[in-house]
Amino acid sequence: MTRPHTHLLEVDIGIRRQEGGPQEELLVMPVWTPGSYLVREFARHVQDFAARDATGQALKWEKTNKNTWRVVTNGSRDWHASYRVYANELTVRTSELNSSHAFWNNANILMYLEGQLASPSTVRVLAPDVWKVATGLPAVLGQKNTFRAENFDVLYDAPFEVSNFKTIVFNVKGVAHRIVIDGEGNYDTERMRRDVQKIVEEHVEFMGGEIPYRDYTFILHARANAGGGLEHANSTALGYPRFGFRIASGDRSTSASPAATGAPARDYRGFLSLVSHEFFHLWNVKRIRPDGLGPFDYTQESYTKVLWVAEGITDYYADLLLRRAGLITESEFLTATARSIQSLQNTPGRRVQSVEESSFDTWIKFYRQDENSVNSQVSYYDKGAILGLLLDLEIRKRTSGAKSLDDVLRYLYTEFGKKNRNYGPADFQRACEMMAGSSLEDFFQRFVRGTEELEYDVALEAVGLRLDTNAGGASVERVYFGADVAQEEDRLMVRRVYAGSPAYDHGLNAGDQIVALDNMRVTRDFFNARIAEKKPGDRIALIIFRFDDLSTLLITLGGRRVGTYRIVPLPNATDAQKRVYRQWLGD
Ligand SMILES: [Zn+2]
């Protein structure tokens, strides 16, 4: 990184064979990076490729497809390739080099030698002296900023942060953990240390008490609009809004806007939830590996039907373990659960796509959302988490609290993770049935492979709870329009239209510009306020631009009796139900 402001990372790859190599060798750039299921074509950022032998003599080369370079090595045992990679996109799955720091994922910038993914490698980072280097790879003793990877799956699993970062350290059971923070923000490092340590301790105990890594690194980028996380075997990359660490007081459900929009809360608890999610992945997905997800094929999509387990059930435990660690209250856990159930029930796509289909097609659907996604897709995160809850409660009910989904996860870790075997959909179902002590075929057929409406009360009854969909005065029918609108400068645009809604059935389209409502010019606030004053059955006239053409659309508004969902106690819950409740959300 000799000229950070150019965003060009300079890569030199030295290939050394024990004996003479073939006449030609292929260097391959990955097209995707594990954990983020989209072909991102990292080769598009490669430039200035060259190859030379040990004496510095240039070697001939040509590209054979979009991400493969064929080098004529003439049987050389020792040769080099060099190139530069443009890195100017900071997300947890991409790379950025600029004058303030460098962050990269190795699959974005390092090619592998065809047929040699199992070979070991070392990485030496030549960084400006004022910058430190953090990665999950083990350091090579006695060599500055040099790290080793036993194979390319390990190499590609370890992102690097190189900057003048802050470091927070703590130990759990004698194992070193560090949080590396790049970027200023309103975080409290002491509190972060304490709470992240609690998360680590809770997860480790949950998974049986053994720590399966030598050390663990959390890389955190605090930026104005950062978000998301990516899991690795002994590290994680996290992005979070730099002023999103506010410690909110009281129940999150009462803070209006996030609950109202269904958006995840951007406060300190949201950060802990992200940490909990990514950390849980070190077992669920990195060691308890679905079919197809390791060893990896970096040249094309890797399909699996169980991302709903890998992501959804991870999401379920992210919050459940925060609750058990005492970092959120029971009420916060139940409120968040009710909110995600409501969000699922407001997604028409839940009746169109199953979670298995959603998992399988993530490459072309979940990771490529458009205005129709809400009507054609279900999130394997959101529905997967709810299925985790329903399965957990079903197993607890059938066994009077003796077994749970916790046992399923521990079983999968023992039988698949520790034995280095991948699992498939049938293995997961079998593990659940083993813990439940009876068949769950009906459940999986209807709710996992199928798109039937979930039966919340059947599950919640196990712990003496029920779902109240009418909280907050839903006995009154509310007016229903059925589209999301957004203000774009001085234009009011339709973002999405929900299938089956009045707006949908009367022909409003995503992308339409609403010019006037009942002949009056609109802004978003004006539009939403006027609609809220209407009654079901009222007719409105919208003047819209569709592309360049002006037209008038008449829409008869509908009505809905929907309040805020709440999970509430059954009036006469039995002692047995209360006992299972305590075991589940336990202190
Ligand atoms: Zn995840």
Side-chain angles (χ1 to χ4, degrees):
M1 50 197 88
T2 57
R3 303 209 304 152
H5 69 279
T6 63
H7 316 294
L8 290 168
L9 284 161
E10 298 166 14
V11 180
D12 182 281
I13 303 184
I15 293 106
R16 194 169 306 135
R17 289 182 175 273
Q18 305 286 357
E19 42 206 63
Q23 292 301 302
E24 296 179 341
E25 305 234 42
L26 300 175
L27 279 171
V28 184
M29 185 66 122
V31 303
W32 69 288
T33 194
S36 184
Y37 306 102
L38 179 66
V39 170
R40 291 179 193 273
E41 310 290 20
F42 300 124
R44 72 197 165 102
H45 294 306
V46 173
Q47 61 186 64
D48 306 324
F49 185 91
R52 63 186 195 280
D53 66 16
T55 67
Q57 200 70 33
L59 297 174
K60 281 191 190 155
W61 61 271
E62 66 173 344
K63 282 192 78 172
T64 59
N65 66 24
K66 65 185 180 183
N67 62 324
T68 306
W69 284 254
R70 178 164 58 207
V71 180
V72 181
T73 55
N74 302 315
S76 245
R77 283 170 49 191
D78 195 352
W79 59 281
H80 283 255
S82 63
Y83 53 90
R84 299 199 281 181
V85 181
Y86 183 74
N88 193 24
E89 184 186 7
L90 183 64
T91 71
V92 296
R93 59 195 78 86
T94 54
S95 301
E96 179 178 75
L97 168 67
N98 58 32
S99 47
S100 65
H101 89 137
F103 170 79
W104 68 84
N105 282 284
N106 287 325
N108 297 177
I109 68 158
L110 299 181
M111 298 178 187
Y112 64 89
L113 198 61
E114 165 106 323
Q116 297 294 327
L117 282 170
S119 294
S121 59
T122 56
V123 182
R124 188 150 61 104
V125 179
L126 306 179
D129 281 343
V130 291
W131 286 357
K132 299 171 282 185
V133 179
T135 179
L137 294 177
V140 176
L141 290 178
Q143 294 185 41
K144 192 180 179 190
N145 293 339
T146 305
F147 306 88
R148 66 188 151 79
E150 61 207 70
N151 60 51
F152 276 72
D153 281 345
V154 171
L155 180 72
Y156 289 152
D157 184 52
F160 276 76
E161 172 65 26
V162 180
S163 64
N164 203 358
F165 48 74
K166 295 184 185 67
T167 307
I168 301 173
V169 297
F170 60 88
N171 277 289
V172 173
K173 295 188 158 183
V175 175
H177 294 71
R178 63 177 164 170
I179 308 171
V180 161
I181 310 176
D182 182 64
E184 299 297 326
N186 62 344
Y187 45 81
D188 170 344
T189 51
E190 261 319 297
R191 181 155 183 171
M192 194 188 288
R193 181 209 315 267
R194 196 174 71 223
D195 293 344
V196 173
Q197 177 166 355
K198 261 188 215 164
I199 291 171
V200 170
E201 288 165 348
E202 188 71 33
H203 284 55
V204 166
E205 288 317 309
F206 175 86
M207 276 298 180
E210 281 170 41
I211 297 186
Y213 46 80
R214 295 171 310 267
D215 50 56
Y216 193 94
T217 302
F218 298 87
I219 297 173
L220 171 60
H221 294 122
R223 296 286 192 278
N225 295 310
L230 195 66
E231 66 276 5
H232 302 288
N234 72 327
S235 67
T236 181
L238 308 167
Y240 208 70
R242 61 170 30 150
F243 291 109
F245 298 87
R246 189 177 58 91
I247 294 161
S249 57
D251 193 325
R252 200 152 49 171
S253 65
T254 58
S255 69
S257 59
T261 60
R266 287 308 187 190
D267 61 15
Y268 183 62
R269 280 170 291 196
F271 170 70
L272 294 182
S273 186
L274 175 65
V275 168
S276 190
H277 178 105
E278 301 308 332
F279 194 73
F280 195 77
H281 269 316
L282 82 88
W283 291 280
N284 194 26
V285 93
K286 295 313 298 188
R287 288 174 176 80
I288 304 170
R289 292 195 317 258
D291 281 341
L293 296 186
F296 294 101
D297 179 345
Y298 297 96
T299 65
Q300 60 180 339
E301 294 85 349
S302 292
Y303 296 99
T304 173
K305 291 181 179 174
V306 284
L307 280 183
W308 71 273
V309 176
E311 290 298 349
I313 287 180
T314 292
D315 232 16
Y316 172 59
Y317 278 106
D319 280 358
L320 185 58
L321 295 185
L322 283 187
R323 166 56 214 137
R324 288 185 190 159
L327 292 166
I328 59 172
T329 65
E330 289 174 23
S331 150
E332 283 167 349
F333 177 80
L334 294 176
T335 300
T337 302
R339 191 163 59 225
S340 50
I341 290 173
Q342 182 154 18
S343 165
L344 176 66
Q345 293 305 118
N346 284 335
T347 305
R350 77 187 184 284
R351 303 305 309 276
V352 177
Q353 188 188 44
S354 72
V355 282
E356 279 200 356
E357 291 169 326
S358 176
S359 300
F360 191 84
D361 275 337
T362 186
W363 302 87
I364 54 165
K365 294 199 172 181
F366 188 75
Y367 271 87
R368 289 193 178 167
Q369 302 209 12
D370 57 32
E371 71 281 359
N372 188 47
S373 297
V374 72
N375 294 327
S376 62
Q377 294 186 35
V378 71
S379 158
Y380 51 80
Y381 285 83
D382 299 349
K383 187 177 172 187
I386 294 166
L387 285 174
L389 167 78
L390 301 192
L391 271 172
D392 193 9
L393 297 184
E394 182 65 29
I395 296 169
R396 289 173 193 273
K397 180 158 64 182
R398 290 195 194 181
T399 60
S400 305
K403 294 286 181 194
S404 69
L405 193 62
D406 304 3
D407 298 293
V408 173
L409 268 291
R410 289 189 280 257
Y411 170 83
L412 290 173
Y413 182 41
T414 306
E415 285 304 309
F416 291 90
K418 289 183 181 173
K419 294 182 180 171
N420 201 25
R421 295 193 294 151
N422 297 46
Y423 75 95
D427 299 311
F428 181 75
Q429 180 175 338
R430 229 174 355 251
C432 291
E433 290 172 337
M434 184 188 305
M435 296 310 158
S438 48
S439 171
L440 286 161
E441 175 59 21
D442 185 60
F443 183 99
F444 278 81
Q445 187 57 38
R446 294 167 64 202
F447 308 133
V448 174
R449 297 187 289 273
T451 57
E452 287 190 36
E453 289 285 23
L454 302 183
E455 295 174 342
Y456 303 107
D457 283 342
V458 172
L460 290 167
E461 191 254 340
V463 287
L465 299 172
R466 70 178 179 86
L467 182 68
D468 177 5
T469 58
N470 291 311
S475 45
V476 256
E477 192 174 50
R478 304 264 177 88
V479 69
Y480 182 45
F481 177 58
D484 296 338
V485 295
Q487 189 75 37
E488 289 178 7
E489 297 183 343
D490 61 345
R491 299 190 297 179
L492 183 66
M493 304 300 296
V494 178
R495 279 284 164 77
R496 59 185 76 79
V497 184
Y498 293 83
S501 70
Y504 187 92
D505 288 338
H506 288 83
L508 190 68
N509 285 185
D512 288 347
Q513 178 193 350
I514 302 176
V515 178
L517 164 62
D518 296 338
N519 289 326
M520 283 177 278
R521 179 155 55 183
V522 288
T523 61
R524 191 189 63 166
D525 292 345
F526 178 89
F527 182 82
N528 287 336
R530 295 292 83 73
I531 294 287
E533 290 166 1
K534 302 281 181 186
K535 294 187 301 297
D538 283 357
R539 198 160 73 151
I540 58 171
L542 296 184
I543 297 175
I544 60 164
F545 265 119
R546 178 165 299 162
F547 304 110
D548 299 329
D549 300 322
L550 197 66
S551 63
T552 301
L553 210 55
L554 299 176
I555 297 177
T556 305
L557 296 170
R560 285 200 300 184
R561 293 177 195 278
V562 182
T564 304
Y565 284 23
R566 294 256 185 274
I567 293 173
V568 296
L570 287 170
N572 36 28
T574 64
D575 287 345
Q577 286 168 325
K578 289 176 184 165
R579 179 177 51 80
V580 180
Y581 174 89
R582 293 253 59 86
Q583 288 171 341
W584 172 52
L585 282 196
D587 282 305

